[in-house]
Short mmCIF file of all heavy atoms in Angstrom, two decimals:
data_model
loop_
_atom_site.label_atom_id
_atom_site.label_comp_id
_atom_site.label_asym_id
_atom_site.label_seq_id
_atom_site.Cartn_x
_atom_site.Cartn_y
_atom_site.Cartn_z
N MET A 281 98.33 166.44 193.13
CA MET A 281 98.28 166.76 191.70
C MET A 281 99.66 166.57 191.06
O MET A 281 100.68 166.77 191.71
CB MET A 281 97.80 168.19 191.48
CG MET A 281 96.46 168.51 192.08
SD MET A 281 95.16 167.34 191.63
CE MET A 281 94.55 168.11 190.16
N ASN A 282 99.65 166.17 189.82
CA ASN A 282 100.86 166.04 189.00
C ASN A 282 100.77 167.05 187.87
O ASN A 282 99.68 167.54 187.55
CB ASN A 282 100.96 164.66 188.37
CG ASN A 282 101.50 163.58 189.32
OD1 ASN A 282 101.82 162.49 188.89
ND2 ASN A 282 101.59 163.88 190.59
N ALA A 283 101.90 167.35 187.24
CA ALA A 283 101.89 168.18 186.04
C ALA A 283 103.16 167.88 185.25
O ALA A 283 104.20 167.62 185.84
CB ALA A 283 101.82 169.66 186.38
N VAL A 284 103.01 167.90 183.95
CA VAL A 284 104.18 167.66 183.10
C VAL A 284 104.24 168.78 182.06
O VAL A 284 103.23 169.06 181.39
CB VAL A 284 104.08 166.29 182.37
CG1 VAL A 284 105.36 166.00 181.59
CG2 VAL A 284 103.82 165.15 183.37
N VAL A 285 105.40 169.42 181.95
CA VAL A 285 105.62 170.41 180.89
C VAL A 285 106.38 169.68 179.79
O VAL A 285 107.38 169.02 180.06
CB VAL A 285 106.48 171.60 181.39
CG1 VAL A 285 106.66 172.62 180.27
CG2 VAL A 285 105.86 172.25 182.60
N VAL A 286 105.88 169.79 178.57
CA VAL A 286 106.57 169.19 177.43
C VAL A 286 106.87 170.30 176.44
O VAL A 286 105.98 171.06 176.06
CB VAL A 286 105.71 168.11 176.73
CG1 VAL A 286 106.49 167.45 175.61
CG2 VAL A 286 105.21 167.07 177.72
N LYS A 287 108.13 170.40 176.05
CA LYS A 287 108.51 171.43 175.08
C LYS A 287 108.79 170.75 173.74
O LYS A 287 109.73 169.94 173.61
CB LYS A 287 109.77 172.15 175.61
CG LYS A 287 110.41 173.09 174.63
CD LYS A 287 109.75 174.44 174.66
CE LYS A 287 110.30 175.47 173.67
NZ LYS A 287 111.54 175.29 173.03
N GLY A 288 107.93 171.04 172.77
CA GLY A 288 108.13 170.52 171.42
C GLY A 288 108.63 171.64 170.52
O GLY A 288 108.33 172.81 170.77
N ASP A 289 109.37 171.31 169.47
CA ASP A 289 109.94 172.38 168.64
C ASP A 289 108.86 173.14 167.88
O ASP A 289 109.00 174.33 167.63
CB ASP A 289 111.03 171.85 167.69
CG ASP A 289 110.47 170.94 166.61
OD1 ASP A 289 109.37 170.35 166.82
OD2 ASP A 289 111.12 170.79 165.57
N ALA A 290 107.78 172.48 167.52
CA ALA A 290 106.72 173.16 166.76
C ALA A 290 105.71 173.82 167.69
O ALA A 290 105.37 174.99 167.54
CB ALA A 290 106.02 172.16 165.86
N VAL A 291 105.26 173.10 168.69
CA VAL A 291 104.18 173.61 169.54
C VAL A 291 104.69 174.58 170.60
O VAL A 291 103.96 175.43 171.08
CB VAL A 291 103.40 172.44 170.19
CG1 VAL A 291 104.23 171.71 171.23
CG2 VAL A 291 102.09 172.89 170.81
N GLY A 292 105.97 174.47 170.99
CA GLY A 292 106.48 175.27 172.12
C GLY A 292 106.19 174.55 173.43
O GLY A 292 105.96 173.34 173.44
N PRO A 293 106.16 175.30 174.55
CA PRO A 293 105.91 174.63 175.83
C PRO A 293 104.42 174.33 176.01
O PRO A 293 103.57 175.16 175.71
CB PRO A 293 106.38 175.66 176.86
CG PRO A 293 106.33 176.97 176.16
CD PRO A 293 106.41 176.74 174.69
N THR A 294 104.12 173.13 176.50
CA THR A 294 102.73 172.75 176.78
C THR A 294 102.70 172.17 178.19
O THR A 294 103.71 171.63 178.65
CB THR A 294 102.22 171.69 175.79
OG1 THR A 294 103.09 170.55 175.84
CG2 THR A 294 102.19 172.21 174.37
N LEU A 295 101.56 172.27 178.86
CA LEU A 295 101.48 171.81 180.25
C LEU A 295 100.26 170.91 180.44
O LEU A 295 99.16 171.25 179.98
CB LEU A 295 101.36 173.02 181.19
CG LEU A 295 101.10 172.72 182.65
CD1 LEU A 295 102.34 172.13 183.32
CD2 LEU A 295 100.67 173.97 183.40
N TYR A 296 100.45 169.81 181.12
CA TYR A 296 99.38 168.84 181.37
C TYR A 296 99.27 168.65 182.88
O TYR A 296 100.28 168.36 183.54
CB TYR A 296 99.67 167.52 180.65
CG TYR A 296 99.99 167.81 179.20
CD1 TYR A 296 101.31 168.04 178.80
CD2 TYR A 296 98.98 167.97 178.26
CE1 TYR A 296 101.61 168.38 177.49
CE2 TYR A 296 99.27 168.32 176.96
CZ TYR A 296 100.58 168.52 176.58
OH TYR A 296 100.87 168.88 175.30
N TYR A 297 98.06 168.80 183.41
CA TYR A 297 97.86 168.87 184.86
C TYR A 297 96.72 167.97 185.28
O TYR A 297 95.72 167.87 184.55
CB TYR A 297 97.55 170.34 185.20
CG TYR A 297 97.07 170.62 186.59
CD1 TYR A 297 97.98 170.81 187.62
CD2 TYR A 297 95.71 170.71 186.88
CE1 TYR A 297 97.55 171.09 188.90
CE2 TYR A 297 95.27 170.98 188.16
CZ TYR A 297 96.19 171.17 189.17
OH TYR A 297 95.76 171.44 190.45
#
Side-chain angles (χ1 to χ4, degrees):
M281 303 309 270
N282 279 191
V284 185
V285 181
V286 183
K287 171 85 182 344
D289 68 336
V291 69
T294 57
L295 173 72
Y296 309 91
Y297 170 85

